[in-house]
Amino acid sequence: MPISWMPLVADYNRFARRAGPAFWGTYIGYFIANVWFYGLGAWLLLTAQTHDLVQAIGVLAIGWIVLPIILVDETDNAFADIYSAAVSLQNIWPRVRQALFAVLIGAICLILALTVPLAQYENFLLLIGTFFVPLFGVLAADYFVLRRSYTEADLYQPLTFRWEGVIAWALGVVTYQALTHLAPSIGATFPAFGVSFLAYLGIAGALRGIGRVRPERA
């Protein structure tokens, strides 16, 4: 669940004036909110002695009030998701208006919400983790170790494929899927992140070494 929200951070942190406060504000906010959120959820299920979250809320004295509040609260999540997707697509097609992307994405998501069974939500979260966790591993290795910073040209230059990143990401995807299905008790997030992180450093480092080797003149 926390991983599913990480791509949205950049959509809002891009307005930050300094990197330090943006990082620590995001980290502390995520940490407090997630510990509190999952702690309350675990306490609620243990107290109600059920694995059905809706039933657990329903047994509360004011459960009938809590459910509508949760429904209203979820509207901001839909807004954040639609906005993030529209911003991302506009990076690929900058001439298309952001409002048009928002309307199209909202319509597609509404159709999916009405047709996809809610029981598939866990698989959807695992799919998000499969794609995003290795992606952040590659990004962390490239930014914090190899480049140390990005220039404006790095962010806005024409799109090009960097195969070392694609290969490292694919290795992380395979790791995530393998652990999810073969050893779910271990957890897949940290191993997949580590595999993509180290694979990218290794492949990119090897390519840099090859680039430095110049053929001798005849």
Side-chain angles (χ1 to χ4, degrees):
M1 176 67 79
I3 291 296
S4 69
W5 289 106
M6 283 189 66
L8 276 70
V9 173
D11 296 331
Y12 297 93
N13 278 8
R14 62 194 172 101
F15 297 110
R17 296 182 178 180
R18 291 184 297 165
F23 173 84
W24 287 111
T26 302
Y27 177 82
I28 294 173
Y30 261 67
F31 179 82
I32 294 176
N34 279 279
V35 171
W36 189 8
F37 176 77
Y38 286 107
L40 287 175
W43 172 79
L44 177 61
L45 291 178
L46 290 174
T47 303
Q49 296 183 351
T50 178
H51 296 288
D52 188 341
L53 182 59
V54 176
Q55 180 182 353
I57 296 175
V59 299
L60 297 175
I62 55 173
W64 62 276
I65 298 179
V66 174
L67 287 176
I69 291 176
I70 293 177
L71 179 62
V72 173
D73 177 68
E74 288 298 311
T75 58
D76 68 313
N77 297 339
F79 166 80
D81 287 333
I82 293 174
Y83 174 73
S84 178
V87 170
S88 299
L89 289 176
Q90 201 171 35
N91 289 332
I92 302 175
W93 294 288
R95 295 184 179 180
V96 180
R97 294 183 59 185
Q98 192 177 104
L100 178 59
F101 277 134
V103 172
L104 292 176
I105 295 167
I108 294 172
C109 291
L110 178 61
I111 295 173
L112 292 175
L114 294 174
T115 57
V116 177
L118 185 60
Q120 297 297 323
Y121 185 63
E122 182 180 1
N123 293 330
F124 172 70
L125 292 179
L126 292 175
L127 183 64
I128 289 178
T130 298
F131 284 95
F132 286 157
V133 169
L135 180 64
F136 287 122
V138 173
L139 178 62
D142 187 65
Y143 181 82
F144 290 106
V145 179
L146 296 182
R147 297 198 183 193
R148 305 295 178 88
S149 65
Y150 288 151
T151 64
E152 185 175 350
D154 292 329
L155 298 176
Y156 294 101
Q157 64 185 356
L159 295 175
T160 56
F161 277 103
R162 299 182 61 185
W163 292 106
E164 61 271 30
V166 175
I167 294 172
W169 171 80
L171 292 174
V173 169
V174 172
T175 302
Y176 195 103
Q177 283 293 312
L179 290 176
T180 299
H181 292 90
L182 301 178
S185 60
I186 296 177
T189 299
F190 289 111
F193 182 93
V195 166
S196 60
F197 183 94
L198 296 175
Y200 182 77
L201 290 181
I203 298 172
L207 291 177
R208 285 190 175 188
I210 294 174
R212 294 193 186 99
V213 177
R214 299 180 180 271
E216 296 182 0
R217 292 183 179 179

